[in-house]
Amino acid sequence: MPTESDTHYDPSLGNKFIFVTGGVMSGLGKGITAASTGRLLKNAGFDVTAVKIDPYLNVDAGTMNPYQHGEVYVLEDGGEVDLDLGNYERFLDIDMTSDHNITTGKTYQHVIEKERAGDYLGKTVQIIPHITDDIKRRIREAAEGTDVCIIEVGGTVGDIEGMPYLEALRQFAHEEPEENVLFTHVTLVPYSKNGEQKTKPTQHSVKEVRSIGLQPDVIVGRCEDRLEPETKEKIALFCDIPTDAVFSNPDVEDVYHVPLMVEEEGLDQYVLEHFGMAEDALPPAERTNDWRKIVTTEKDGEIDIALVGKYDLEDAYMSIHESLKHAGFEVGVDVNVHWVPADEMADGHEGQLEDVDGVIVPGGFGMRGSEGKIEAVRYARENDVPFLGLCLGFQMAVVEYARNVLGFEGAHSAEMVEDTPHPVIDILPEQYEVQDMGGTMRLGEHTTVIEPETLAYELYDDTSCTERHRHRYEVNPEYFDDFEDEPLTFSGTAGNRMEILELEDHPFFFGTQFHPEYTSRPGQPSPPFLGLVEGILDESGADEGAETESESTSDTETEVTH
């Protein structure tokens, strides 16, 4: 194994490494496969972490359009990253940092800065060894202090931008003992028109991997159904791996069932035996069964929630969808999310909200859809519909109240209308001189002080909470006095910043400047999301009780009359 002076990293960092690559096409579910593997290893008693490699040239995901890359997930240290890191945090129940996301922009920027500083002592700076060394260093440092590190390589094998990473993995495997490294390749196994599972795409994908110098130890076939025994045997024969190293990852009702599916296939046991860790693992009878209990909870009913947003794409609001699932797990109901285009709400499309039990107005940026979000807030407030506003949704709730209750005509956010007569939402003071867009917002974990005897206190059961933020604008301090004696109160603050709002005499009306969806987990639902779901159930129960009482009274009156 090379020494630290040879390669510029400490070879003692980390322990076991699982590299997950994908073939045939993107979007197969490498991240869920990797996260599920980690969940099972964690159940077996090991400390597990993960790294996501994104080969794009962006330094981070912060400036990306959700249509391009799904939601921007925010870590506790303020890192703006790919949504797959959200899956890792939820599946592994860990808090990750920016160091767990490697991008081409981040890597090249670091190497170029070192070259400009003269750190390479006049050497010609090249992809090999300087870029590949930096990639390996980042992986090992992220793995420090854990038993297993799972590294997902974004994109598809064969993509030109991913080549430096695959070369770094080839070197990595050469430097590590064989029993410390495992390569998992996720591929597509489609059906032919006559219903046959076709292995040719997998064969070509593995051929591409092997041409780079990597040999998969495990192949996971994504298919509508489990792989047939003959399909597994064919993949094993043509890809030169044991048949028991080929696993199925079929379509399931919920991604949280994937760990259960691959556990039935024996993936965790195969990995443990490959690493020589089977004897150190907890016996199957002693492994935690909490995950299975949580995600297979029997549901007693269902509720419908409208998500009034500007992106017709579930991935754009991934963490919100997952947080509602977590709340549903907790109370035993299915939560059906209905996307409502915010653009249409401004034209009086209130009918789209008439049949739902609750309304969420999520975060976002830009003018498009803002008037529709304001209308959605107004509808929820006036019709006693349980409401949750997140970040921009919180701000639009302030704007709606200022306009329609306080009478501030034309009130708006200065982000949307610079010359608004009432900028009840204005830019953060520290943002005045900011020029660059990437990584310059108020980001990451910040503490909010919660007023006692409020809904916020009831939800968090504490006088403070720590949640993740991502915003440039906030409630304008000049308007604090106008809200002082109003039913709409700010029950959570951070110094001079308003962080939580709530409305008295309403079934559930709650808004947060922060993004509570980023810290929600199966078994540990986010308090605002759990509060929304419970508020809906309480309201529906009250309505049913009122209807029953009304019907009973009517029947009694009828009997007396006749």
Side-chain angles (χ1 to χ4, degrees):
M1 184 181 296
T3 65
E4 182 175 359
S5 59
D6 292 332
T7 57
H8 308 293
Y9 58 70
D10 181 357
S12 67
L13 298 179
N15 193 1
K16 308 294 185 181
F17 300 88
I18 301 175
F19 296 101
V20 181
T21 57
V24 184
M25 59 179 287
S26 61
L28 281 181
K30 296 189 304 296
I32 296 297
T33 301
S36 298
T37 304
R39 178 70 253 175
L40 296 179
L41 295 177
K42 184 162 185 174
N43 288 350
F46 298 102
D47 291 326
V48 183
T49 193
V51 171
K52 174 68 189 297
I53 292 175
D54 286 305
Y56 47 66
L57 278 168
N58 305 64
V59 173
D60 58 39
T63 58
M64 290 185 180
N65 188 305
Y67 279 124
Q68 291 281 318
H69 221 253
E71 78 171 359
V72 176
Y73 188 81
V74 179
L75 302 172
E76 63 178 359
D77 66 355
E80 297 172 286
V81 296
D82 181 86
L83 59 81
D84 277 320
L85 276 82
N87 284 324
Y88 289 128
E89 288 204 338
R90 288 186 283 267
F91 275 68
L92 302 178
D93 191 21
I94 58 175
D95 292 322
M96 307 174 78
T97 68
S98 300
D99 292 339
H100 293 85
N101 186 213
I102 301 174
T103 70
T104 298
K106 188 183 292 186
T107 300
Y108 277 65
Q109 184 181 59
H110 177 73
V111 170
I112 291 170
E113 286 174 352
K114 289 183 66 177
E115 183 274 330
R116 291 289 81 188
D119 291 354
Y120 294 112
L121 303 177
K123 293 179 181 178
T124 302
V125 180
Q126 298 175 291
I127 304 297
I128 304 171
H130 303 100
I131 294 296
T132 52
D133 277 358
D134 193 69
I135 293 167
K136 291 182 290 182
R137 173 188 64 82
R138 292 176 184 274
I139 292 171
R140 284 191 162 90
E141 289 182 356
E144 184 178 7
T146 61
D147 300 315
V148 181
C149 181
I150 301 173
I151 304 95
E152 176 196 351
V153 183
T156 305
V157 170
D159 295 343
I160 190 169
E161 60 264 29
M163 291 302 182
Y165 296 99
L166 298 178
E167 168 58 21
L169 302 195
R170 187 196 65 78
Q171 296 176 20
F172 199 107
H174 178 70
E175 296 163 2
E176 286 287 327
E178 184 178 351
E179 66 273 13
N180 282 1
V181 176
L182 181 142
F183 285 97
T184 297
H185 192 58
V186 182
T187 72
L188 177 67
V189 181
Y191 278 106
S192 64
K193 288 186 177 180
N194 63 0
E196 180 186 359
Q197 293 179 338
K198 304 301 291 184
T199 66
K200 191 61 70 175
T202 297
Q203 294 177 43
H204 283 296
S205 180
V206 172
K207 182 180 179 180
E208 182 77 28
V209 173
R210 296 175 73 175
S211 71
I212 299 167
L214 302 177
Q215 169 60 48
D217 300 296
V218 166
I219 293 177
V220 177
R222 284 286 291 113
C223 188
E224 293 178 25
D225 306 296
R226 291 180 185 270
L227 300 184
E228 300 291 342
E230 54 269 28
T231 304
K232 289 187 175 184
E233 291 172 5
K234 193 172 183 180
I235 290 173
L237 176 64
F238 284 96
C239 299
D240 198 25
I241 65 172
T243 303
D244 59 357
V246 182
F247 297 91
S248 304
N249 186 354
D251 294 346
V252 293
E253 182 180 343
D254 191 308
V255 294
Y256 294 124
H257 293 174
V258 175
L260 312 183
M261 185 64 65
V262 294
E263 183 180 35
E264 291 176 14
E265 289 269 316
L267 176 60
D268 53 333
Q269 191 61 30
Y270 189 90
V271 170
L272 291 171
E273 290 176 359
H274 174 91
F275 284 145
M277 301 167 66
E279 293 184 0
D280 297 321
L282 292 173
E286 296 180 18
R287 296 180 191 180
T288 176
N289 203 31
D290 291 347
W291 183 271
R292 181 179 295 274
K293 291 178 182 177
I294 291 168
V295 304
T296 59
T297 301
E298 288 290 332
K299 306 298 195 303
D300 295 327
E302 59 183 282
I303 60 175
D304 298 282
I305 294 179
L307 182 62
V308 185
K310 59 194 288 187
Y311 304 108
D312 183 12
L313 181 72
E314 183 173 334
D315 280 0
Y317 306 107
M318 175 70 75
S319 292
I320 292 175
H321 282 265
E322 299 308 309
S323 297
L324 289 170
K325 284 185 192 177
H326 306 159
F329 291 153
E330 187 75 9
V331 298
V333 298
D334 281 317
V335 181
N336 304 316
V337 181
H338 304 272
W339 182 73
V340 175
D343 300 38
E344 297 180 3
M345 282 297 301
D347 297 327
H349 285 64
E350 294 181 351
Q352 298 185 74
L353 302 181
E354 289 179 354
D355 296 327
V356 299
D357 303 302
V359 174
I360 293 179
V361 176
F365 298 92
M367 180 65 181
R368 184 171 70 86
S370 61
E371 290 298 328
K373 292 184 176 184
I374 292 170
E375 281 303 300
V377 175
R378 182 192 61 77
Y379 179 87
R381 179 180 60 81
E382 293 181 349
N383 292 279
D384 286 341
V385 178
F387 165 81
L388 178 61
L390 307 170
C391 198
L392 181 62
F394 161 89
Q395 296 175 3
M396 294 301 96
V398 174
V399 171
E400 190 278 329
Y401 198 87
R403 285 184 186 181
N404 299 320
V405 179
L406 298 183
F408 293 159
E409 186 176 350
H412 218 309
S413 167
E415 176 188 7
M416 318 299 179
V417 181
E418 291 186 8
D419 59 351
T420 173
H422 295 289
V424 291
I425 305 296
D426 206 352
I427 195 165
L428 296 165
E430 62 265 33
Q431 296 286 315
Y432 290 157
E433 305 300 325
V434 170
Q435 299 294 322
D436 292 338
M437 297 297 290
T440 56
M441 286 184 275
R442 184 172 181 243
L443 293 164
E445 284 194 344
H446 296 278
T447 298
T448 295
V449 176
I450 296 174
E451 290 292 326
E453 299 182 4
T454 60
L455 175 58
Y457 179 81
E458 181 181 331
L459 294 178
Y460 280 95
D461 193 27
D462 204 341
T463 54
S464 68
C465 66
T466 302
E467 297 277 16
R468 301 177 190 180
H469 294 65
R470 185 175 186 252
H471 65 110
R472 294 186 192 278
Y473 290 77
E474 66 179 353
V475 179
N476 189 338
E478 294 180 9
Y479 289 86
F480 288 173
D481 291 343
D482 296 293
F483 288 89
E484 189 171 0
D485 297 320
E486 290 295 319
L488 185 78
T489 59
F490 295 105
S491 54
T493 59
N496 203 34
R497 292 194 165 102
M498 300 297 102
E499 293 278 354
I500 300 174
L501 64 78
E502 54 190 69
L503 182 62
E504 297 175 12
D505 300 322
H506 192 282
F508 186 90
F509 193 99
F510 199 77
T512 65
Q513 180 61 79
F514 47 79
H515 289 268
E517 66 268 28
Y518 293 142
T519 53
S520 188
R521 308 275 192 272
Q524 303 173 55
S526 164
F529 284 88
L530 181 59
L532 173 66
V533 171
E534 290 180 333
I536 290 171
L537 295 177
D538 290 344
E539 180 68 5
S540 63
D543 290 343
E544 290 174 5
E547 290 174 6
T548 302
E549 183 179 347
S550 175
E551 291 169 2
S552 175
T553 302
S554 177
D555 291 343
T556 302
E557 291 173 349
T558 302
E559 289 176 7
V560 172
T561 302
H562 285 78

